[in-house]
Amino acid sequence: MIVLKTERELQIMREACKISAKALQLVGNAVEPGVTTAELDALAEKFIRSCGAIPNFKNYEGYPATACISINNEVIHGIPSNKRKICAGDIVSVDLGAKFGGYHGDNAATFACGDISEEAKRLMEVTKQSLYEGIAAALPGSRIGDISYAVQRYVEERGFSVVRDFVGHGIGTEMHEPPEVPNFGTPGRGIRLLPGMTIAIEPMVNAGKHGVAVQPDGWTVLTRDGSLSAHFEHTIVITRDGPKIMTEA
Ligand code: MF3
Ligand code: CO
């Protein structure tokens, strides 16, 4: 069931989203050559807890950390490790969230470590903009398929591909609520968007083909063709005046 949030609920959820956004910014600013993904994860966890919030990924279906940190050809769900150092030239996708006052925030971004290739820069820009295209399509009265199509069209017109095996989602008192928000689809299809709906839109974009595969660790998702991948996500609310981003620092 899709739960429309009241203004009182949205006020609390905005706090959870703000904490999530600040934690993401903190980690992004700490991305540099030599830092381990476990160090970045610890930064995020410490910050979220210092706000009186809970890292909502931790223990979610057994996930062992606060953040997912996925490098280069890793798409999503990379598990932080003290053996994994970030190198100059890497692109680093960080996905994390916080639960505060009973409500969830969820956001992601891909960061560059030092100088990166032109292809990597373009991939990051196109993925980020595809998120904003999706957000702009999240108008009251429109449908989920309108968001999906906006993301897909923007990405594919630029020669990249959207991951199909993972999707965005409703969010609220649960991190994952209905509806699913795919990054590919048909305009005019799917459920109608209504004021008070809160959703996480999260395009995962591959420089090569859209196929992905899960590693033997059971979590890390890689591109099948070894190409680079980027990921941007915001939690938003649909209002009478249009979409509003909630995960802003
Ligand atoms: N944040 C992811 C999503 O955007 C969920 C991560 S799964 C977890 O939906 F297990 F790592 F939490
Ligand atoms: Co999400």
Side-chain angles (χ1 to χ4, degrees), residues 41-59:
D41 188 73
L43 262 181
E45 177 164 8
K46 213 171 149 195
F47 174 78
I48 290 168
R49 292 198 192 281
S50 78
C51 298
I54 296 163
N56 50 5
F57 289 16
K58 207 161 202 176
N59 303 318

Side-chain angles (χ1 to χ4, degrees), residues 13-21 104-105 107 235 246-248:
M13 194 163 153
R14 266 185 214 106
E15 290 303 310
C17 287
K18 192 174 192 171
I19 295 164
S20 304
H104 290 267
N107 61 177
T235 298
M246 299 182 82
T247 35
E248 244 152 22

